[in-house]
Amino acid sequence: MDQLRAIRYFCKVVETGSFTKAAKAFNVPPSSLSRRVADLEKSLGATLLKRSTRIVKLTEVGQIYYKDVQQILNQLEQSNETVRSYQTTPMGSLRISSMVGFGEKIVLPLLDEFSALFPEIVLDISLSDELSTLGRDDVDIAIRGGYAPNERVIAIRLMDNGFIPVASASYIEKHGTPNNAMALKNHNGLYFKAPSGPTPWLCNINGQWHDVSGPAIAISNNGSWLAKKACAGEGILMSTRWALASYLESGELLELHFDHPLAITQNADMAVYLLYQKQRYLVPKVKAAVDFLVERIKVSGNRGAM
Amino acid sequence: MDQLRAIRYFCKVVETGSFTKAAKAFNVPPSSLSRRVADLEKSLGATLLKRSTRIVKLTEVGQIYYKDVQQILNQLEQSNETVRSYQTTPMGSLRISSMVGFGEKIVLPLLDEFSALFPEIVLDISLSDELSTLGRDDVDIAIRGGYAPNERVIAIRLMDNGFIPVASASYIEKHGTPNNAMALKNHNGLYFKAPSGPTPWLCNINGQWHDVSGPAIAISNNGSWLAKKACAGEGILMSTRWALASYLESGELLELHFDHPLAITQNADMAVYLLYQKQRYLVPKVKAAVDFLVERIKVSGNRGAM
DNA sequence: ATCACTATTGTTTTAAAGACAATAATAGAT
DNA sequence: ATCTATTATTGTCTTTAAAACAATAGTGAT
């Protein structure tokens, strides 16, 4: 029995929920799938699918098996790709996932040049602040804010991701400069919302953390909208240096300084990391993109932010 | 093409270093292997094996592929086993790896009873202080001293693994009781050797670590030999409470107490952990053994050592 | 240079998967 | 409750791929 083929059939049936639809995907008659899946079940001594003429669904043990083999098929495909592309020129589809703000501001502007350098690479970019589980899924490169990955994933620190407080000149004129962190509690706040929720203003004074958030004017996961509001003098905003760089340069927004530094989390090393699976660095397209992104972003990051 | 079969052939050829030998293992003619491996190479567009009539060895890319698929075959086999044994009675071969001393003193004595409870399980026990990479290899359950595993591995704390200093009455009579940790520097030492090297006597005084090791009389990775020497009054020994339990009970060895506790590493939580892959707990034989070992060892550990 | 062993190639045989038609079963509509 | 359209399955034939077996060619060791 060709177990691998049987497993591929099985997975497709699960995904489409139908032998007929799955058969179409392989351009073989449904009877083939029916027989192969039956073979597989026989060889495993267990029923994987509960069938009726209308509906096909996984049994309990089928679910376990499906999750396992799905990942195995993925790994096998990646190994094949590694070998196939070994020492060839970078090409093929490359999937990059990045945080929204960072992706828009930093990554996307670089990618035109990257495409020009590697015309045979087809880019597939997803911007999302939800963290994708690198390794299990179909992303080649992920760019995420400070969390520690597992051992098989390489993390390269791209840039500092610490949040700084800013406000427009007009706001300061109207409400005065807060002369210490505690005074922020009386100031209007524009709050960035991470996937985990709105980010408070925190301040560490003599080893003690204090929440110094002021009344909220607006909360959003869209950094540039908040920045616009800050420019309009609606409140104080905490955001990353890289997101605010253009406003700081133009003078539209001014950084506020305090004796005790502000943060939005008690976690110390906030940074943006580029993540990829160790083994995938052997694939030319992945290596090309990792090298390119790390070089460009680290350079620009050091110039602008550190 | 039956890719999986081709991969199995390929792996066996790598392992035996010969098409002929590998063919024997599958009871098929060598020509089959030759063709299948050639198919595989063709489909990957790369040469995996460098052949000559006498010797077969991996190419550079072949090595990469071999390492990958080896693991994939392993995972697939485990998934199949999970399904096959789903909700059956515990049976089959079960591989346990344990630290030598702990294995001899604690684990092995329990296993007769385990075998009686689960007669269909064939035990395969390896005692070694080298750490095996659970997950990549063929061990179902590993028992190891305090190190943190990765996410897919479950670690259950079995027992405290802190080292305590002991000596025989005769030794103390002759050399006197060391009245503080620093005084140990003038006492004869019997040193246990971990895989990382001999274990020193360390002492934390007011947040500062001091090495208070005395002159060495003997160094060994064999705990019971050292214990014998300690009984004979040859020196002071630091070992685990569980290894010394019988000697402490009989009074052959006496625990030494100091104001500042002794240790053999600066790492705080020294413990013995039972490790297994999360997914494998679904396999009845693994679940049976994990449950059994955890229950018995935790109970006996609490009685004797804590 | 020869020998013994090994991988490969040609050719035939066997086994397994695909194709196609027909059947049985069932959810949803009438 | 009956009918219908769709779906999985089963039977049978065809095609394809792998196994067997014999023969060949290449290579490291003697």
Side-chain angles (χ1 to χ4, degrees):
Chain A
M1 186 192 62
D2 187 338
Q3 197 187 359
L4 202 56
R5 185 186 321 217
I7 289 173
R8 280 195 246 262
Y9 284 177
F10 164 66
C11 286
K12 191 61 91 180
V13 170
V14 171
E15 283 147 24
T16 60
S18 149
F19 279 79
T20 311
K21 290 202 194 83
K24 286 211 185 79
F26 288 104
N27 279 309
V28 292
S31 56
S32 290
L33 299 234
S34 177
R35 290 207 152 90
R36 268 356 98 211
V37 174
D39 286 352
L40 183 62
E41 288 179 313
K42 201 173 159 193
S43 89
L44 293 173
T47 308
L48 299 173
L49 296 168
K50 202 89 195 160
R51 301 121 151 118
S52 78
T53 43
R54 281 288 161 166
I55 206 160
V56 177
K57 69 167 201 248
L58 285 165
T59 61
E60 195 180 321
V61 63
Q63 281 182 35
I64 296 168
Y65 195 65
Y66 176 66
K67 274 182 81 171
D68 282 7
V69 294
Q70 202 182 10
Q71 199 186 331
I72 288 169
L73 289 180
N74 228 346
Q75 285 180 31
L76 182 60
E77 193 38 59
Q78 289 196 357
S79 292
N80 290 340
E81 190 186 5
T82 303
V83 172
R84 268 196 273 266
S85 63
Y86 191 68
Q87 284 183 337
T88 65
T89 159
M91 65 178 76
S93 134
L94 180 76
R95 288 138 303 189
I96 300 178
S97 166
S98 170
M99 304 183 289
V100 181
F102 192 83
E104 285 174 346
K105 287 257 179 197
I106 313 279
V107 181
L108 291 181
L110 287 171
L111 291 182
D112 287 335
E113 187 188 351
F114 181 78
S115 288
L117 275 170
F118 302 101
E120 293 183 76
I121 293 181
V122 178
L123 290 171
D124 176 355
I125 317 293
S126 314
L127 298 188
S128 163
D129 287 329
E130 310 296 324
L131 40 82
S132 62
T133 37
L134 197 85
R136 320 222 125 187
D137 60 7
D138 41 10
V139 175
D140 292 311
I141 293 174
I143 295 174
R144 285 290 174 276
Y147 65 93
N150 75 42
E151 63 201 11
R152 285 192 312 192
V153 172
I154 303 292
I156 298 179
R157 194 180 199 280
L158 287 177
M159 195 179 276
D160 183 71
N161 203 32
F163 279 54
I164 55 167
V166 294
S168 69
S170 61
Y171 178 89
I172 291 172
E173 203 171 315
K174 197 164 166 191
H175 298 83
T177 305
N179 50 353
N180 64 66
M182 282 305 193
L184 282 172
K185 283 195 172 179
N186 301 316
H187 281 267
N188 298 329
L190 300 165
Y191 294 96
F192 184 76
K193 187 168 67 183
S196 52
T199 54
W201 298 343
L202 302 178
C203 183
N204 191 324
I205 301 174
N206 306 325
Q208 269 284 312
W209 285 97
H210 300 269
D211 188 326
V212 295
S213 308
I217 295 294
I219 301 172
S220 172
N221 64 347
N222 188 300
S224 38
W225 183 68
L226 291 174
K228 295 263 162 55
K229 287 183 108 56
C231 290
E234 298 193 32
I236 291 176
L237 169 65
M238 278 197 72
S239 184
T240 57
R241 199 178 287 278
W242 52 261
L244 300 170
S246 61
Y247 303 101
L248 291 170
E249 272 176 41
S250 70
E252 286 175 278
L253 293 174
L254 306 169
E255 182 174 354
L256 304 173
H257 295 277
F258 300 97
D259 292 343
H260 303 286
L262 286 184
I264 56 132
T265 164
Q266 300 186 10
N267 201 321
D269 183 37
M270 286 302 289
V272 179
Y273 289 93
L274 180 148
L275 308 163
Y276 62 91
Q277 287 181 82
K278 196 174 170 188
Q279 277 287 51
R280 298 237 82 202
Y281 192 71
L282 291 168
V283 178
K285 68 183 181 191
V286 175
K287 175 175 159 54
V290 169
D291 292 350
F292 176 88
L293 289 173
V294 168
E295 198 221 314
R296 292 311 167 91
I297 297 177
K298 273 204 167 170
V299 168
S300 78
N302 289 341
R303 192 165 7 88
M306 308 207 73
Chain B
M1 184 191 62
D2 187 338
Q3 197 187 1
L4 202 56
R5 187 189 318 218
I7 289 173
R8 280 195 246 264
Y9 283 177
F10 164 67
C11 286
K12 190 61 90 179
V13 170
V14 172
E15 282 148 23
T16 60
S18 150
F19 279 78
T20 311
K21 289 202 194 83
K24 284 211 186 79
F26 288 105
N27 279 310
V28 292
S31 57
S32 291
L33 299 234
S34 177
R35 279 193 226 279
R36 266 358 97 212
V37 173
D39 286 351
L40 183 62
E41 288 179 314
K42 200 173 159 192
S43 89
L44 293 173
T47 308
L48 299 174
L49 295 170
K50 201 89 194 160
R51 301 122 150 114
S52 76
T53 41
R54 280 286 163 170
I55 206 162
V56 176
K57 71 167 199 248
L58 285 165
T59 62
E60 196 180 321
V61 63
Q63 280 184 34
I64 297 167
Y65 196 64
Y66 175 66
K67 273 182 81 170
D68 282 8
V69 295
Q70 202 183 10
Q71 197 185 333
I72 288 169
L73 288 180
N74 227 348
Q75 284 181 32
L76 181 60
E77 192 38 59
Q78 289 196 358
S79 292
N80 290 340
E81 189 185 5
T82 302
V83 172
R84 268 195 272 266
S85 63
Y86 192 69
Q87 283 183 340
T88 65
T89 159
M91 65 178 78
S93 134
L94 180 77
R95 287 140 304 190
I96 300 178
S97 166
S98 169
M99 303 183 289
V100 181
F102 193 83
E104 285 174 347
K105 287 258 181 197
I106 314 280
V107 180
L108 290 180
L110 286 171
L111 291 182
D112 286 335
E113 186 188 351
F114 181 77
S115 287
L117 274 170
F118 303 101
E120 293 183 75
I121 293 181
V122 178
L123 290 170
D124 177 355
I125 317 295
S126 313
L127 298 188
S128 163
D129 287 329
E130 308 297 324
L131 39 81
S132 62
T133 37
L134 198 86
R136 320 223 123 185
D137 60 6
D138 42 10
V139 175
D140 292 310
I141 293 174
I143 295 175
R144 286 290 174 275
Y147 66 92
N150 75 43
E151 62 200 11
R152 287 191 311 192
V153 172
I154 303 292
I156 299 180
R157 195 180 199 280
L158 287 177
M159 195 181 274
D160 184 69
N161 202 31
F163 278 54
I164 55 167
V166 294
S168 70
S170 62
Y171 178 89
I172 292 171
E173 203 171 313
K174 197 164 164 190
H175 298 84
T177 305
N179 50 354
N180 66 66
M182 283 305 193
L184 281 172
K185 283 195 174 181
N186 301 315
H187 282 267
N188 299 328
L190 300 164
Y191 293 96
F192 184 76
K193 187 168 69 185
S196 53
T199 55
W201 297 345
L202 302 178
C203 183
N204 191 323
I205 301 174
N206 305 327
Q208 270 282 313
W209 285 97
H210 300 269
D211 187 326
V212 296
S213 308
I217 295 294
I219 301 172
S220 172
N221 63 348
N222 188 300
S224 38
W225 183 68
L226 291 174
K228 294 264 161 56
K229 286 183 108 54
C231 290
E234 297 192 31
I236 290 175
L237 170 65
M238 278 197 72
S239 184
T240 57
R241 199 178 289 277
W242 51 262
L244 300 169
S246 61
Y247 302 101
L248 292 170
E249 273 176 41
S250 70
E252 286 174 279
L253 293 174
L254 307 169
E255 183 175 354
L256 304 173
H257 295 278
F258 300 98
D259 291 343
H260 303 286
L262 285 184
I264 56 131
T265 164
Q266 300 186 9
N267 202 320
D269 184 36
M270 287 300 291
V272 179
Y273 289 93
L274 180 148
L275 308 163
Y276 62 91
Q277 287 181 81
K278 196 174 171 189
Q279 277 287 50
R280 299 236 81 201
Y281 192 71
L282 290 168
V283 178
K285 68 183 180 192
V286 175
K287 176 174 157 56
V290 169
D291 292 350
F292 177 87
L293 289 173
V294 169
E295 197 220 314
R296 292 312 167 90
I297 296 177
K298 274 204 168 170
V299 168
S300 77
N302 290 342
R303 191 163 10 88
M306 307 207 73

